Amino acid sequence: MSHPVKGIDHCFALVQDLDKAAAQYAAFGFTLSPRGLHSEAKGSANYTIMFPDDYFELLGLLRATPLNAARGKALTEQGQGLHAIACRIGTAEAAATQLAELGIGTHGLGSFERPVPLPDGGSAMAAFSTVVFDDAELPFGSVFMCQHKTPETVWLPELLTHANTACGLDAILALSENRQADGKRFARLWADGSTSETNGRVTVNTGANSAPLVLMSQDAMQALYPGVDVSLTAKGAFTSLRVKVTDMNAARQCLDDAGLAPIVTQTGLAVAPEHASGVIVEFVPA
């Protein structure tokens, strides 16, 4: 049986104040989708930051409901930040079946749709099916699979151009004190998953044209982002989001215009988590 998971589709930050988070990311030079409202039962809303092949989502809980109780608990216990990775698949039903035959546990197979406010003032429906990897399969964080039934209502052309010239997810970074073991567990979630190690950092390759997951120690993360309070990121989840930009000068200008003093890193410019709703956001050359 072939492995159905082909890469990273998107990731999301679970945030305490959705409107505040949206304002922060807009100030960084990102084009945000109009606010999307989920069902009354879900009690949540989101903004998306779209790139040609993947995207980043800001997710907030508007009211407590039975369906969002687990996310509410995660927000309370772990804090806001980069909580989840969503994977590329064909169909959710087939993915669940194929993964079960490979001995990889999943749950929560289901479908939903939500109205999408369009930039021109109109609206459309976005439809998805999802299935979640069992907690037992994960070293930490949340990883699920997302089938896009209506990609044309998500990847809108008007949302793909950003003042900071962002064009895609470059990498997701996370803290791990058991990097080799954790890397192997994460790698089996993707069809082309593999690991490599350099200078104590374990990189989980997630497939072609897909952002890798990079695992590192607390000391290594602190050295990468000097002066950043890493404790302000989500605990037991993911820590930093690297975003590819085609013009680093444009990215810097957006941060300057926002009144932020970016952290100069080995690879680019970073924004501390207190300014980005619990995520370290790093801009790197595409």
Side-chain angles (χ1 to χ4, degrees), residues 248-273:
M248 287 295 295
N249 290 328
R252 179 184 282 276
Q253 188 62 57
C254 288
L255 298 179
D256 288 345
D257 291 346
L260 294 170
I263 298 121
V264 178
T265 70
Q266 301 165 6
T267 49
L269 300 170
V271 178

Side-chain angles (χ1 to χ4, degrees), residues 1-6 94-102 104 190-191:
M1 178 60 66
S2 63
H3 198 302
V5 185
K6 306 305 181 184
T97 298
Q98 291 169 330
L99 288 167
E101 294 182 3
L102 292 169
I104 299 174
W190 287 277

